[in-house]
Amino acid sequence: MPGTNPPHRRTTLGPSGRLAVAGLPDDLPEDTRRLLLLAAAAQEQHPDGPGADAALVLRAAAAAGLGTAALEPAETAGLVRTAGERIHFDSEVLRRALYEAVPLARRRAAHALLASVSASDRDRLPGLLHGALAADGPDSGLAGRLAAAARTAGPHVSHDERAVALAVAARLTGPGTDRATRLTAAADHARLAGRPDRARALLAPVRALPAAAPVRGRAGLVHGLLTLRDGPVADAREELLLAAGLLGPHDATAALTARLAAMEAAWAMGDAAAYVEAIEEAPQGAPDTLDDYRAGMAAVLSGRLGAGVGPLRRLLARTGRAEEPEVLLRAGVAALVVGDLAAACRVNARALAAARALGRTTLVPQALEHLAYGELRAGRHPRARVHAEEGLCIAHRTGQRNIAAHQHAILALVASVEGDTEALTAHAAAAGAVAGAHGLVQVSTLVRWALARADLGAGRVDEAAARLGPLVRPGPRQGHFAVRMLAVPCYTEAVVQAGTPGAARTAVEEFAIWAALGADPAAPAQLARCRALLAGAGAGAGAGAGAGSEAGAEGRDAAAADAYFEAARAHHDDTINDFERARTLLLHGKWLRRRRRPGPARGLLRDALVAFEGCGARAWTEQARAELRATGEAPSAGRPAPLAGLTPQQLRIARCVAEGATNREIALRLSVSPRTVDHHLRNIFAALGVRSRLELARLVDRAEQPTAPL
């Protein structure tokens, strides 16, 4: 046994008996250095993980005749620390240097010792892995046992650990299909762990190996999934369809996965025909829920939304309590498509929880993206921002730039409501840079909508109309098919206020057909508002203008506008989107004021002002205040809130400081540089008259305490 072999207990460390490693103190005892080598070797099981298994290291140390006291000098020197059941190196660079400075024979001896003390069933994979790392050449039997253990290990074994084990098994395997299979499987686990660079490195040698069609198909699937998350989505779609063709006769489940991913790529491209093409040719034996998904989405993207609603609702009913994050994400998409926003938020929150619980790191930012979209559609912009900010950090950390671009687009939409010009500009630029290079039409469309909505909120109606016009027209080189109808209300408002209402009439009639299908709970209210704006444009700007038949027509248009506004407000009572309700109140109040009816206008404008303040919609809040002043009533300023003078970005930073976050942590959370955070903090201190982070935290806490009713 390696644990009883004297050479493993007292192996020479070099000509001087010492390990010359940069960062290790010269006076570090030899036994401490040897124990550190065991800890460094133990962490090869999971190099980027939570540290070395302390129990395993100490068992190996005992077998080598080393006492636990040997670790104390390293802890005192700050080289390692023991926390819970793990030994953590202060620096991964130091750990790698220590491990690689040792001759190969010494590393193998350390792994053999670790393998010898990994005896329990739970430690079967670590034992086999360290045994494999101790091998001095190819060993097909050991490679096969290690690969099998990586496939069948329990849920306590992470994707990172499986990837390492399969990569080591591949190294012990001769050239051919088995090595290609193990490298591909290792790459897939690295992808799922959020290590795309490692996954690509593992895939690189596969193309040069002789392998059967199913193995080449599997490698194409993994590479296509990597490209879908960080690369041109049109390229990803083609690679995924090719993989589906190779896998189809051999592995129906993997072929279906490839087609579902190709559909996702087509959606990101904004190509409805490509989406339908990918969905229609699925392998036999798919679950009923997937049949519902395919039938429903094919109908919707073929322009038959009514025919797609039934299958998608069945899918939602069957899978809303599922446990697999991929299944839940599809159900969340179905909920968004049929307009069930409460279900969309609930199911996507469940998908997020499942992805975290199962260690599906790469799915976490996608679940956060879908959850943020649901909150955005429901008008809950602060919640959407929180989810998107977290998703953005994780997407960057896991190398998923396409997902990060979607998060930036969501944050641009939130900033367009909150009136944060700086954040809008930054997020729009970041999203656009990736969207243009990778063909992300949905991201580009959302960014243009965000910029147009900011123009609209600031009263730049001509610019808003120019941005929105291409988004609401069908056909190639226009907007994304899933955003077209959502942008129609903004477009209608822009062109009416710009004096060209006729430009919106066709879009509004198409919007009416879409609204009748129930695809968005806010659509009936928005449709009535659009029709009120168009009718009001026909009525003219002043009461009593014209005579005879013209005056009669104007009166009918004015009555119609009022009736449509009233209908819109009634429809809003059935929805939860306070931002859209406030916009209707504002537009109705504007209309009444221009019809010289200041009394009724004031009540609506007051309600709009309160609602916009509750939503944090600064630009629209200013519009409501200006309109209210124009009726002859200046809104009461009341007692100014301590934080009222901060911009939305400054307020977010102030809240982060109150939570105890450092500048670097705040920068990661908000996707800005630490220097930008520092700049904002100086301005916050000056604006609030505070001199320290502690004073700022106390002020934020006091300002955000609920006020007791008088």
Side-chain angles (χ1 to χ4, degrees):
M1 289 288 291
T4 58
N5 189 336
H8 290 163
R9 289 199 305 271
R10 295 287 176 187
T11 305
T12 304
L13 296 176
S16 64
R18 310 286 281 177
L19 284 172
V21 178
L24 286 185
D26 291 338
D27 59 349
L28 202 64
E30 180 183 350
D31 282 359
T32 300
R33 293 168 181 261
R34 296 173 62 218
L35 197 149
L36 287 177
L37 172 59
L38 285 172
Q43 198 169 331
E44 284 295 290
Q45 175 188 345
H46 191 346
D48 300 313
D53 182 337
L56 176 64
V57 172
L58 293 178
R59 287 201 303 271
L66 302 173
T68 57
L71 191 60
E72 292 176 5
E75 291 178 315
T76 302
L79 303 175
V80 297
R81 58 185 173 84
T82 303
E85 300 177 351
R86 296 284 167 178
I87 297 173
H88 303 264
F89 278 83
D90 177 62
S91 162
E92 171 61 14
V93 174
L94 173 64
R95 188 193 75 81
R96 291 301 307 171
L98 174 63
Y99 183 76
E100 293 174 358
V102 177
L104 181 59
R106 286 291 317 283
R107 294 204 297 271
R108 287 174 175 161
H111 285 296
L113 185 54
L114 290 164
S116 73
V117 296
S118 299
S120 71
D121 289 341
R122 183 180 175 85
D123 288 341
R124 182 168 179 264
L125 180 59
L128 286 169
L129 174 63
H130 289 299
L133 289 168
D136 58 3
D139 186 329
S140 60
L142 179 56
R145 292 194 299 276
L146 179 57
R151 287 194 304 271
T152 60
H156 65 280
V157 177
S158 70
H159 289 291
D160 262 325
E161 292 170 295
R162 294 173 202 266
V164 170
L166 286 160
V168 172
R171 286 207 300 268
L172 298 182
T173 307
T177 292
D178 284 346
R179 178 185 282 182
T181 299
R182 287 161 187 166
L183 283 171
T184 300
D188 198 26
H189 283 293
R191 176 188 68 82
L192 290 168
R195 315 284 184 188
D197 291 341
R198 184 183 301 168
R200 288 188 174 91
L202 288 164
L203 280 177
V206 173
R207 297 182 188 277
L209 292 171
V215 179
R216 289 186 286 113
R218 186 75 189 184
L221 169 58
V222 175
H223 194 270
L225 290 170
L226 289 167
T227 306
L228 177 61
R229 296 289 174 250
D230 187 3
V233 287
D235 295 355
R237 176 183 177 272
E238 294 306 320
E239 187 163 21
L240 289 162
L241 289 177
L242 178 60
L246 291 170
L247 289 164
H250 311 280
D251 188 340
T253 300
L256 183 58
T257 299
R259 287 199 171 274
L260 289 168
M263 289 155 50
E264 190 178 340
W267 183 285
M269 294 161 55
D271 191 334
Y275 188 102
V276 173
E277 177 189 347
I279 204 171
E280 284 182 337
E281 297 181 21
Q284 298 297 316
D288 291 342
T289 53
L290 276 174
D291 285 341
D292 285 336
Y293 187 74
R294 290 172 51 218
M297 295 301 289
V300 169
L301 271 75
S302 297
R304 297 177 288 111
L305 179 59
V309 168
L312 293 177
R313 287 198 180 279
R314 283 198 302 273
L315 164 73
L316 190 57
R318 290 173 175 174
T319 60
R321 301 297 297 173
E323 297 182 356
E324 282 294 313
E326 296 89 348
V327 173
L328 288 163
L329 284 169
R330 284 196 295 273
V333 169
L336 286 170
V337 170
V338 301
D340 190 341
L341 301 185
C345 293
R346 183 179 66 253
V347 170
N348 284 314
R350 187 173 175 83
L352 174 62
R356 284 173 168 156
L358 295 173
R360 308 279 178 84
T361 307
T362 53
L363 293 180
V364 170
Q366 186 180 13
L368 285 163
E369 174 203 335
H370 289 193
L371 182 52
Y373 275 133
E375 300 288 10
L376 204 62
R377 292 272 300 276
R380 295 189 288 254
H381 301 98
R383 292 191 200 178
R385 173 169 33 79
V386 168
H387 293 311
E389 286 174 347
E390 182 184 359
L392 181 61
C393 291
I394 300 173
H396 280 309
R397 190 169 71 238
T398 55
Q400 300 186 82
R401 284 189 295 167
N402 291 355
I403 296 289
H406 279 274
Q407 307 286 13
H408 277 300
I410 292 168
L411 290 167
L413 282 164
V414 172
S416 75
V417 170
E418 294 181 338
D420 190 338
T421 304
E422 181 181 349
L424 171 61
T425 301
H427 287 302
V434 177
H438 292 176
L440 305 175
V441 173
Q442 185 178 17
V443 170
S444 298
T445 303
L446 291 172
V447 167
R448 288 159 67 189
W449 186 19
L451 293 170
R453 195 156 67 174
D455 287 334
L456 195 56
R460 298 185 294 269
V461 293
D462 290 320
E463 292 89 335
R467 290 187 197 275
L468 290 166
L471 302 189
V472 301
R473 290 193 286 268
R477 295 180 299 280
Q478 304 296 331
H480 190 275
F481 55 78
V483 184
R484 280 186 60 229
M485 291 296 102
L486 298 176
V488 166
C490 285
Y491 178 62
T492 304
E493 183 178 340
V495 297
V496 167
Q497 294 190 21
T500 56
R505 296 191 186 279
T506 299
V508 169
E509 291 313 308
E510 189 177 357
F511 185 78
I513 297 170
W514 179 76
L517 295 170
D520 192 318
Q526 292 173 315
L527 173 62
R529 185 174 78 206
C530 290
R531 286 181 165 158
L533 291 169
L534 293 176
S549 61
E550 290 185 6
E554 181 184 345
R556 288 192 296 274
D557 286 341
D562 274 330
Y564 281 130
F565 273 126
E566 294 290 348
R569 288 164 52 199
H571 283 304
H572 279 303
D573 290 341
D574 298 326
T575 70
I576 58 175
N577 196 321
D578 287 340
F579 175 66
E580 289 299 327
R581 174 178 168 273
R583 288 178 68 181
T584 296
L585 292 170
L586 173 62
L587 290 168
H588 194 185
K590 281 184 177 183
W591 157 251
L592 291 173
R593 185 185 71 77
R594 283 158 178 73
R595 298 295 297 176
R596 301 176 187 171
R597 297 166 60 188
R602 287 190 195 106
L604 295 173
L605 293 169
R606 288 190 203 106
D607 289 346
L609 176 61
V610 170
F612 282 135
E613 286 177 337
C615 297
R618 293 177 66 210
W620 273 272
T621 298
E622 291 307 313
Q623 276 199 42
R625 284 201 180 102
E627 287 292 327
L628 199 50
R629 284 193 296 270
T631 66
E633 176 191 311
S636 174
R639 185 177 63 184
L643 308 179
L646 301 183
T647 68
Q649 185 81 326
Q650 289 173 340
L651 183 57
R652 287 195 285 275
I653 290 172
R655 285 171 175 156
C656 290
V657 169
E659 293 169 4
T662 66
N663 284 12
R664 183 169 296 278
E665 289 168 342
I666 296 169
L668 286 171
R669 189 181 304 181
L670 303 185
S671 192
V672 297
S673 69
R675 182 177 296 179
T676 298
V677 173
D678 184 65
H679 169 75
H680 280 304
L681 268 178
R682 288 198 299 272
N683 290 337
I684 291 167
F685 281 18
L688 300 180
V690 297
R691 292 173 294 178
S692 70
R693 298 173 82 91
L694 180 58
E695 284 186 53
L696 175 59
R698 288 172 176 167
L699 180 60
V700 171
D701 287 342
R702 287 197 304 270
E704 302 203 333
Q705 286 294 322
T707 303
L710 297 175

